[in-house]
Amino acid sequence: MPQKKCCILIFVLVLCIALTGCGAVGKLQDWKNGDDVIDDKTVLSPDDVILDQNIGVTGDPQPQDPVNPVPMYQLTLYFTSPDGLNLQKETRLIPKVEGIARATVNELIRGPQEGGLLPSLPEGTVLKDINIKNGVCILDFNSVFKNGLTTREMETLAVYSIANSLSHFETINEVKILVEGREISQLAGAIDVMAPIAPNFDIVK
């Protein structure tokens, strides 16, 4: 009787070893084939990181598109009203950049996006340079800016669209306008452009 129990025990041990060996061989074969062996009982902790990136020939992760959205900046711009007599406010989102004052003027040059508003700066205007010193934003435009302002009303709207739009920045209190790198005595005769110009919100509708 003891001999019979011993035989049964040996049989059970041999069977267990055989089954374990089959599993190990299977996992080894999966590894050789390049397949991932996943244990469905594995639990990831918050500190675990799963990489989902393509690996290049050097073994380094390849660059991918940013996951986070591009930071945006809300501008307050002033364009000519539909009746051509005043300025009217338009808010606009643009990607946040280092030279936000330059970007603001370039958005004025691009013109309004809201229906009915009119451009405040002459078509073909180019901002050649911009600097801020002691609260004064010095803007250098091409000659098209000056030549395109043919009336006093056009000059008034153009100059104050710039001054008002830039006044929303804490570092800018006034603007100074140059043309082709030089001071000018006048544009169309409505405003003294030899001196720095403060914003004027009385003409905003």
Side-chain angles (χ1 to χ4, degrees), residues 3 19-20 30 32 39-40 49 51-52 56 66 69-70 77 89 91 93-94 98 120 123 128-130 152 158 197:
Q3 184 177 1
L19 291 175
T20 303
D30 288 339
K32 289 174 65 178
D39 181 0
D40 59 0
V49 178
L51 295 179
D52 186 17
V70 177
L77 305 172
K89 181 172 68 173
T91 57
L93 289 175
I94 66 168
E98 185 175 350
S120 54
E123 184 179 358
K128 304 182 69 174
D129 198 10
I130 182 170
R152 295 169 62 91
I197 303 162

Side-chain angles (χ1 to χ4, degrees), residues 64-153:
Q64 296 189 359
D65 293 335
V67 176
N68 296 323
V70 177
M72 304 297 286
Y73 193 98
Q74 180 172 291
L75 298 179
T76 301
L77 305 172
Y78 295 87
F79 294 102
T80 302
S81 59
D83 58 13
L85 301 176
N86 302 95
L87 292 177
Q88 193 166 320
K89 181 172 68 173
E90 176 187 307
T91 57
R92 180 179 304 178
L93 289 175
I94 66 168
K96 195 171 184 179
V97 294
E98 185 175 350
I100 194 65
R102 179 186 292 272
T104 298
V105 178
N106 283 330
E107 290 299 314
L108 287 175
I109 293 173
R110 286 180 58 191
Q113 293 180 349
E114 293 183 1
L117 296 183
L118 304 174
S120 54
L121 306 184
E123 184 179 358
T125 294
V126 174
L127 177 62
K128 304 182 69 174
D129 198 10
I130 182 170
N131 291 286
I132 301 174
K133 185 177 181 180
N134 298 328
V136 178
C137 183
I138 304 170
L139 305 112
D140 182 17
F141 292 102
N142 64 345
S143 59
V144 174
F145 174 76
K146 180 181 186 300
N147 297 335
L149 302 176
T150 56
T151 67
R152 295 169 62 91
E153 291 76 18

Side-chain angles (χ1 to χ4, degrees), residues 16-46:
C16 291
I17 293 172
L19 291 175
T20 303
C22 289
V25 170
K27 290 186 179 181
L28 179 61
Q29 187 64 40
D30 288 339
W31 177 79
K32 289 174 65 178
N33 292 338
D35 298 331
D36 292 330
V37 180
I38 301 175
D39 181 0
D40 59 0
K41 294 182 179 179
T42 300
V43 178
L44 295 176
S45 73

Side-chain angles (χ1 to χ4, degrees), residues 191-204:
I191 301 173
D192 179 10
V193 291
M194 289 292 290
I197 303 162
N200 178 8
F201 291 96
D202 291 338
I203 62 172
V204 177

